Every structure is written in C-alpha cells, then in structure tokens.
Amino acid sequence: MHGYDYGLILAFFALVLIPAPLLGRFYYRVMEGQRTWLSPVLGPVERGCYRLAGVDPQAEQSWQKYTLALLAFNLAGFALLFAILLLQGHLPLNTEQLPDMEWPQAFNTAVSFMTNTNWQSYSGEASLSYLSQMIGLTVQNFVSAATGLAVLVALCRGIGRKSAATLGNFWVDMTRATLYGLLPLCLLLALFLVWQGVPQTFAHYVHGMTLQGADQVIPLGPAASQIAIKQLGTNGGGFFGVNSAHPFENPTAWSNLFELASIILIPAALVFTFGHYVKDLRQSRAIIACMLVLFLIGGATSMWAEYQPNPALNNAAVEQTAPLEGKEARFGTTATVLWSVTTTAASNGSVNAMHDSLNPLSGMVALVNMMVGEVIFGGVGAGLYGMLLNVLIAVFLAGLMIGRTPEYLGKKLGAREVQLLVMTLLVMPVSVLVLAAIAASLPGPAAAVSNPGAHGFSQLLYAYTSAGANNGSAFGGFGANTPFHNLMLGLGMLIGRFGYILPVLALAGSLALKKTAPIGQNSFPTHGPLFVTLLTVTILLVGGLTFLPTLALGPIAEHLSMGF
C-alpha cells in the first residue's frame, strides 16, 4: 500500500464520520416537524403535499394503521413499476425503441427496487428506457429509502415514548424523509457528478468508430440523478450494466471517493438521530463503535487477502504483487476493496469491480457482511433498526446471564417482545439457506452457476444472500435471468424486507405502550465498552452459528484449496 491508499481510507472515514452527528440532529428535527434551515424553502412544499393527499399531519397512527399504510404504499409502488416495465415498449422516452420486459424479470425488478434491494438481472442501458429508469427505478430509489427511514423513526419513538398508543404518521414520515432527508443531498451529489463528467441527458445513444473500424454504441441518459440517489439511498442499482465500474457512472477518483462515502453517510448519521430520540447520545456512540469494529474487522481481512500474491504464481519468475484481475485498474486495489466492504456492509449493492474476482477470504467478508443482516451501517433506516434488534437480543442475553428481567433504556422486554425478536432471527436463514438449498438441489436452476466446485457454490450462495439481505450486489458469473431465479430471488427479497419491517413495527408498538422505569445503579449499562463487546460478540455468534457450515462449503473451502 502507498500513501494514496492511506489517504483514501482517511478521507473516506472523514467524509462519513465528521458530518454524522450534525446530520443526525438534522434528521431528528426534520422527522419531528421542528424548524430547520430548509423550512422556509421546503415547508410550503411539504404542506402542499399534505393538502393534495388529504393528510392531516397532526393525526398520528397506531402501529397497526402505520403498518397498513406502509404496505399499501409499497404495493402501489410495486404495481406501478411492474406495469411500466411490462409496457415499456409502448411508452414515451424510449429513444432506442427497447422492447417490453418479460414478466418474470419485470416482477423481479419491481420487487427489487420496491424493497430497496436493486438486484439487477439485466443491463440497464440495453434493457430499460429513460422513462423506466426515471419514473420507475429512480422514484422507487427515493421512496424505498424513505420507507426504511420511516420504520426506523417509528421504532425510535416506540423506545423513546412513555405509555404511548401511537408511533407517528406514515404519510408524514415518508414526505419528510423524501423532501428533507434525501432530495437536497441528492441534488448536491448529482450536480457534483455532472461536474465530474457523469451524463445527464435525454439525447440518443451515440455511435462511434473503433480503431478496428467497427461501429460502437455509446449509451447516454439521465444517469447522474439516479446515481446520486442509488448511493445516498443505499439502493445500489446501476444506470449502466457494470454499475460504478462504468466510466460514465464513476469517471474520476473524486467521483469514486464521494460515491463511496455517500453509501454510509446517512446510515451513520441516523445512529445519532436515535440518540436524540432517546435523549442519550451515549447510546449512539456505543452503537456506532460496534458498527466500526465490525467494519474494520471485515475491511482489514479483505485488504490483507487482496494484497496477497496468487499462489498459482509461486513458481513464476515474476515479482509477487497484489493481483489486479477483476479490479478497477483506474483506482487500484485499495479503492476496490474499500468499496466491496462498504457496499456489502451498507446493503447498497453498487460495485466498482467484479466481486467474482475477489480472493476467497474477501468474498467471504462480503458474504458475512450481508449474512449478519443489515447491521453494519446497513440501509437507510433499515441498518439501524436491524442493529437495534441485535441490541435488544444482547440485552436479553445479558438478562439471562445475571438473572434479571431484561430491559433497555427503562423498557422491560416481556414474552411478546422476545417472540418478535426470535421471528426476526429466522428471516435470513429462510431467505438464504432455504431458498438457496432449493435452487442448488434442482438441476435446471443449478445450471446458472458458471464455475465448478466451491467457487460455483459461492456464486449461488452470494446471489441468495444478496437478495435476502436486500443488498443487490452480485458475485458475477451467475446466470440469474431465468424464470426460476427471477421469481425465487424476488421471494427472497420480499422475505428479507418485510420479514423485518412487520416485527419491528409490532415491537415498536409494544414498547411504546410500556411505562419507562427509572434507570438505577442495578440497571445494565448499554453505552460502555462492555456492552459494545457483548453486542459485537452477539452479532458474530448468531451469524456464525447460522451460516458457518455454508461458508465452509464455499469461500473457506476455496481458500484452503488455493494453498495460501
């Protein structure tokens, strides 16, 4: 590693962690309807939205009504996107006369973007019109991220409120999350990306002549606006097929740095938002410390693995250097590894290199980041409510060890809360292990794997892990565009999204009803190094016990077979 590599790592953490406390306080004020510096500009727009929709911003909802509103909104979004994709060839803004999408792939894509997964079994520039990209995908990029933020805020209110029967208003939370929380940042990032050379145009694709005299089609489109929200909204779906490895999506070292930092900017800030809701920023510092520990463990492991020479070249008369096959040569190994760790830790899914070319241990880190759930920063909102579920599990385990009724910030955890927590523990095993086992056991679906042995198993395991974790990144080399995989991966995305959201909202409603007991000297502290250690070990143990056998069949077996 060189000075540039260390500078990149420091700049990345600075761009994420320095603004996080201020941005976290801003999100708290926005979601609670308090005045901010954007209120004079966006306040009239917000009130106009409520009048058009017939929403009373002062009317709050129980957790049941909040959940029904969320489900209805997401169902409508899915139906609209599904229809756009099916009818794409008959709709405007289709400069290249691209055909309608087949229904299994349209179903997969609509589910993918509605669940904030952005898994893509197609190449964007070759399959989707400008209308499909903008009205279909980009809109879902905004509202799926806003949905995650709304669910998080409902859980924060459930933990922070005392004997309350309501959690807020879903329609108000969605409006504020989109209008204040996402649009301004996306506008700034989109303008920056246009400055760096990312196209934002409705012009036809350009035809050019190669050095060999062949005709080459150079795709264009309104890319900068979608790339901004795909990063900031932890969506990850690329405007172009190769995602952020494409020079039009990621043209410079500056665009690479800012797109990379944007992946976890909002998830990191929302940790501090939680601290404002519970009136204890020590909780925020403990949670973000756990996230950073897990991130650094994975990052250090991946960095070490990728800087090891390939054992196959041991007898070659060449200097042993970090292999660059499949990496982004413009940015180097460090930038590639940092992106792979960040995108899988944050359920973003965008890539700037081929994960199929990662060394086995690096591929395992990417898998583990997703397998533990959206907890290492994770998606917008989804990352923190996933982490809070693990916080409550850690508190429950601590209560068992010391023989006391578990409680968190004065809220006692009863049988109902524990049952809901157990339900969430089943989400990843069902969406990954069960669905992947079905796919691996059938000859037709198993043929989608392009490599034999352990690496081929890793390809299939990665695809179903990415779907269940609502991540959307791909290992590469896996032929996912078949009716079976389109439908089965779509099912995995739905389980991975709503298998968490529904118990989380029920848990929020249950906690909100509870009285808050005073925290005394005998209460288990949840803000110190001891709790950070307990939380980290809990996450690793739950993930390890669930997925270690499958990892042993895939990346671990491949690593051992390479002779490292």
Side-chain angles (χ1 to χ4, degrees), residues 173-208:
D173 291 342
M174 277 289 300
T175 303
R176 290 172 178 167
T178 305
L179 194 60
Y180 295 91
L182 296 171
L183 275 173
L185 285 174
C186 287
L187 178 61
L188 291 175
L189 182 58
L191 291 173
F192 173 82
L193 293 176
V194 170
W195 174 45
Q196 291 298 299
V198 177
Q200 181 73 17
T201 177
F202 293 112
H204 287 265
Y205 291 2
V206 175
H207 289 259

Side-chain angles (χ1 to χ4, degrees), residues 10 54 126 132 149 169 186 267 274 279 285 303 348 433 490:
L10 291 175
S132 297
L149 206 162
N169 187 304
C186 287
F274 171 70
K279 306 297 188 291
R285 290 190 285 270
M303 205 70 73
N348 176 268
L433 298 181

